[in-house]
Amino acid sequence: MKKEIKSTISCFRLLIEHTQKGYEPSPEHILKRMLIPLCAHFHKILESGTKNDAWEIVEGFSQECKRLRKHS
Amino acid sequence: MQLMEELDKKSKNGQRGKRYKIMKGKASKKTTRSAVVVEGLAELMNRLTLEEKCELVRIMNWSELDRLREEAESILHRTRLGDPKVYVERTDEGLNFEAPPEKVSKFLEELVRYLSPKKIEIYLMRDGGFEELSFPLKEFMNYLGVSQEIIANHYAMIDFDSYTLISGGGGCLSLTLLGVANEVVREIAEQFLGICGYPYKFSKDEFSAIVWTDKLEVKE
């Protein structure tokens, strides 16, 4: 798997993991440590990725969503 | 209706504005909207006059309102808000950390000792772009020595062979350790706490530990 794809999915996972913690992280933390990097990954995919890359990312996100459903 | 008129009258006299100010003062950056609601509810119940309370119970049951407040307060106390100084938690796939940024480099040094990877690959976000770096173990240690600030403060995905560490920067870390023995996972978590200045030995496989100010709170 390409680094940019793996990293985008991992970034999304990091965001999900923060919803499972025993405390509520600050909005600043979510923004700076997860959302801004996630947006930068999207930008890179749009700029230099392929449609297949985008599809792989959506599939990866979907796998993470399945895991999230198990917990909720 | 009478209660609303009364509240409206107080609002015009500036009393309601004063209440809002008090609530607003309590609502720090670390307070969420739900916390403000709980505080507001508690404050409303404390401040109502006997007449107002009588008026309110015509519309709703007072004990029900009181139970609601207690429940909301207990949820609020269970859910701590904000960003801890130190945090480690066992997850389905590995470990999750929050570390002081200056401790990240030292922790990575210790981590490679446990994982003994042959190759380390870094996918780093810096200056709005991404960089790919690759090192054999020895060179990675040298890189850590000179690039502590970069690793501690920027988003990075670090692959230690088949294990992956995600760093959101600022000490926010998530490590996947699939296939690693529970004992080793525990040791890594203990090592992390030791580096952060809070040595502790976990006795169970499921655990979390948190430091808000200076006291280590452990759940096993």
Side-chain angles (χ1 to χ4, degrees):
Chain A
M1 189 185 275
K2 286 183 188 172
K3 290 282 176 200
E4 52 266 48
I5 296 172
K6 187 178 174 184
S7 185
T8 309
I9 297 166
S10 301
C11 201
F12 182 62
R13 184 187 306 136
L14 188 64
L15 179 63
I16 287 179
E17 282 174 354
H18 276 70
T19 68
Q20 315 285 315
K21 290 189 173 188
Y23 65 94
E24 200 176 305
S26 72
E28 290 92 335
H29 185 81
I30 300 291
L31 178 72
K32 214 170 162 185
R33 307 299 168 207
M34 283 145 269
L35 290 180
I36 289 175
L38 195 57
C39 292
H41 281 77
F42 287 159
H43 182 73
K44 180 166 168 64
I45 295 293
L46 276 177
E47 210 175 46
S48 58
T50 64
K51 282 185 180 174
N52 196 48
D53 292 342
W55 183 249
E56 270 194 64
I57 287 169
V58 173
E59 279 183 330
F61 278 18
S62 180
Q63 288 299 317
E64 296 304 324
C65 293
K66 274 182 197 162
R67 265 211 293 260
L68 183 62
R69 276 198 292 275
K70 270 188 209 167
H71 285 279
S72 55
Chain B
M1 202 62 197
Q2 219 177 328
L3 176 72
M4 291 307 290
E5 282 168 15
E6 188 66 22
L7 284 172
D8 196 42
K9 221 184 282 172
K10 283 182 178 174
S11 165
K12 280 173 189 160
N13 292 337
Q15 289 185 29
R16 208 175 177 187
K18 198 175 166 189
R19 276 181 197 175
Y20 176 67
K21 222 174 180 179
I22 292 165
M23 283 165 62
K24 212 176 165 191
K26 279 182 184 173
S28 69
K29 270 188 176 178
K30 289 182 178 178
T31 313
T32 62
R33 207 170 290 168
S34 58
V36 174
V37 171
V38 172
E39 284 181 7
L41 181 61
E43 192 170 332
L44 177 73
M45 290 176 73
N46 288 336
R47 281 173 175 251
L48 287 179
T49 65
L50 189 60
E51 284 167 359
E52 287 169 339
K53 283 176 183 172
C54 291
E55 187 63 32
L56 189 61
V57 291
R58 281 189 202 172
I59 310 162
M60 72 186 294
N61 185 306
W62 182 261
S63 60
E64 180 63 18
L65 190 61
D66 206 29
R67 190 193 58 75
L68 188 68
R69 182 186 63 174
E70 276 173 15
E71 203 173 283
E73 278 176 343
S74 114
I75 290 168
L76 191 64
H77 288 135
R78 276 205 307 269
T79 312
R80 298 284 289 268
L81 313 167
D83 305 316
K85 195 169 154 188
V86 175
Y87 182 75
V88 61
E89 180 192 25
R90 179 74 159 106
T91 62
D92 288 348
E93 296 201 334
L95 289 165
N96 228 303
F97 308 91
E98 296 294 339
E102 67 276 11
K103 305 289 183 187
V104 171
S105 181
K106 176 74 185 157
F107 173 59
L108 293 183
E109 272 179 41
E110 290 302 319
L111 190 59
V112 292
R113 282 187 229 285
Y114 276 98
L115 303 177
S116 317
K118 287 192 177 81
K119 196 167 133 190
I120 294 148
E121 293 173 296
I122 304 178
Y123 188 68
L124 179 74
M125 189 179 113
R126 192 157 59 139
D127 303 327
F130 291 89
E131 292 169 28
E132 281 188 51
L133 308 162
S134 182
F135 307 95
L137 183 55
K138 199 179 168 189
E139 280 182 31
F140 175 69
M141 296 303 241
N142 295 337
Y143 174 77
L144 268 185
V146 294
S147 309
Q148 286 182 23
E149 187 274 332
I150 296 170
I151 290 292
N153 294 307
H154 293 77
Y155 173 89
M157 178 178 77
I158 309 176
D159 286 329
F160 303 97
D161 291 340
S162 61
Y163 310 113
T164 302
L165 179 83
I166 297 292
S167 166
C172 174
L173 308 167
S174 172
L175 178 65
T176 54
L177 291 167
L178 291 173
V180 175
N182 283 332
E183 197 183 308
V184 177
V185 176
R186 268 205 315 263
E187 277 179 34
I188 293 171
E190 288 165 3
Q191 194 71 37
F192 168 79
L193 286 177
I195 289 166
C196 294
Y198 299 90
Y200 187 83
K201 291 264 173 207
F202 292 107
S203 55
K204 292 181 180 162
D205 294 334
E206 301 293 317
F207 54 80
S208 71
I210 194 163
V211 179
W212 286 98
T213 47
D214 263 329
K215 194 182 155 216
L216 180 74
E217 299 167 35
V218 178
K219 272 188 200 167
E220 287 189 86

